[in-house]
Amino acid sequence: MTEQELWRCIERAAWAAGPGVHIVRVENSLEWGFPDLDFCIAGYAGKLELKANRAWPKNPDAIVPCRGFTPQQRLWLARRVIAGGAVGLLWVVGWDILLFTEDFGCIGTSTRDALYQSAAWSASRRRSKQGWAYQLLDVLSDMREAK
């Protein structure tokens, strides 16, 4: 799954969810590191960065690289967390989907097991072709209670 395909799944789920969900893809060349999505779910707003890897490394003890995750993106997300904002990084690796909401230091520097331990939420696309996107909308709206 590519970042574009990931966005399309989220977009379809947002449209199906109705008027209480508004998610927009953001293309911003004015500020380095600005996340890909702006969302508002039932009055709760935040930002979401999307990343995609085709597969996990064959060696389970290998560090999992995150293609395209820049130092500017890492800094932007960390600064927003420090300021109390709602942000996340949604990363698809193979059939797996992981959401990170605070610990962005593990992205691109950790093994598969460590990433699962650091993730705020995870799902598998094997079990549910589109259902994970609806679950994600619930998780994003619940981030308000987690703060």
Side-chain angles (χ1 to χ4, degrees):
M1 176 178 272
T2 65
E3 279 186 36
Q4 184 64 27
E5 292 166 332
L6 178 58
W7 158 240
R8 290 225 169 94
C9 288
I10 294 168
E11 182 182 38
R12 280 193 299 271
W15 277 105
V21 176
H22 182 242
I23 300 180
V24 177
R25 185 156 174 114
V26 178
E27 298 296 331
N28 186 344
S29 60
L30 299 177
E31 183 175 350
W32 289 99
F34 197 84
D36 297 317
L37 303 183
D38 178 76
F39 69 86
C40 185
I41 302 172
Y44 183 67
K47 307 280 189 265
L48 194 62
E49 179 63 36
L50 304 179
K51 292 296 172 197
N53 285 33
R54 292 263 178 225
W56 291 101
K58 294 193 186 325
N59 178 352
D61 296 324
I63 299 298
V64 182
C66 186
R67 287 181 318 126
F69 189 47
T70 67
Q72 293 87 354
Q73 289 170 324
R74 187 183 308 270
L75 178 62
W76 198 102
L77 294 170
R79 290 183 68 196
R80 186 55 60 107
V81 167
I82 290 167
V87 294
L89 183 139
L90 188 67
W91 190 9
V92 174
V93 184
W95 288 96
D96 301 319
I97 303 166
L98 298 100
L99 174 67
F100 299 88
T101 57
E102 291 182 8
D103 181 8
F104 303 110
C106 67
I107 308 296
T109 63
S110 301
T111 64
R112 181 179 187 164
D113 286 344
L115 289 169
Y116 267 99
Q117 290 174 7
S118 296
W121 174 81
S122 63
S124 173
R125 293 184 301 124
R126 282 187 205 274
R127 291 188 210 104
S128 165
K129 292 212 183 259
Q130 180 65 25
W132 65 266
Y134 297 102
Q135 292 174 0
L136 174 66
L137 296 179
D138 288 340
V139 169
L140 293 176
S141 68
D142 288 345
M143 285 171 62
R144 168 185 21 224
E145 282 79 35
K147 287 266 175 209

